[in-house]
Amino acid sequence: MDVKTTFLNGNLEENVYMIQPEGFMAPEDAGKVCKLKRSIYGLKQASRSWNLLFDEVVKSFGFIQNGEEACVYKKVSGSAISFLILYVDDILLIGNDKEFLNTIKESLKSSFSMKDLGEAAYILGIKIYRDRSRRLIGLSQSTYIDKFLKRFKMENSKKGLRPMLHGAVLCKS
């Protein structure tokens, strides 16, 4: 799922003023500034205010925040379990009950303007693959590694199974 205009959802805790945007200034108001009512992109508080609002909303839906990783939430209802992972404006929902996941999606859509991107194939450059017959999920960073090698002009390097030579001895000195 992708949240549209993410940072515009955040609420401001303090008064924030900005100069009038070019092209929107009336000549008689040239010396005036604008008081922001909502967070905007580029504002240093934008990420934090969005995250606080999102946290409040998903907890109101019954999600519990993970103590070790603040952007991971869990919700359990009977035998159904779901995990919600947030990365800025991208949400990965996983669970064992499709109807439960659809209910969660609808709840999120009622609070935020969102786009459902369908079944996840990639998240943060990590490929997600499934073998439904064996009930397995796997992750692969091969795309990330290939992009990294290309960036440093090493895409034609000989590939091996280890990042260093077998038998190499390392010491502090």
Side-chain angles (χ1 to χ4, degrees), residues 95-138:
N96 63 352
D97 185 310
K98 282 188 179 185
E99 285 304 312
F100 190 47
L101 291 175
N102 287 332
T103 303
I104 293 167
K105 285 180 184 181
E106 291 308 313
S107 298
L108 288 167
K109 286 180 180 179
S110 71
S111 296
F112 306 109
S113 177
M114 305 185 79
K115 182 177 180 184
D116 187 346
L117 302 173
E119 192 171 291
Y122 282 89
I123 184 77
L124 303 176
I126 300 170
K127 182 177 173 34
I128 302 168
Y129 59 92
R130 297 171 186 80
D131 183 344
R132 293 188 191 279
S133 65
R134 294 175 35 207
R135 299 179 54 109
L136 295 173
I137 293 179

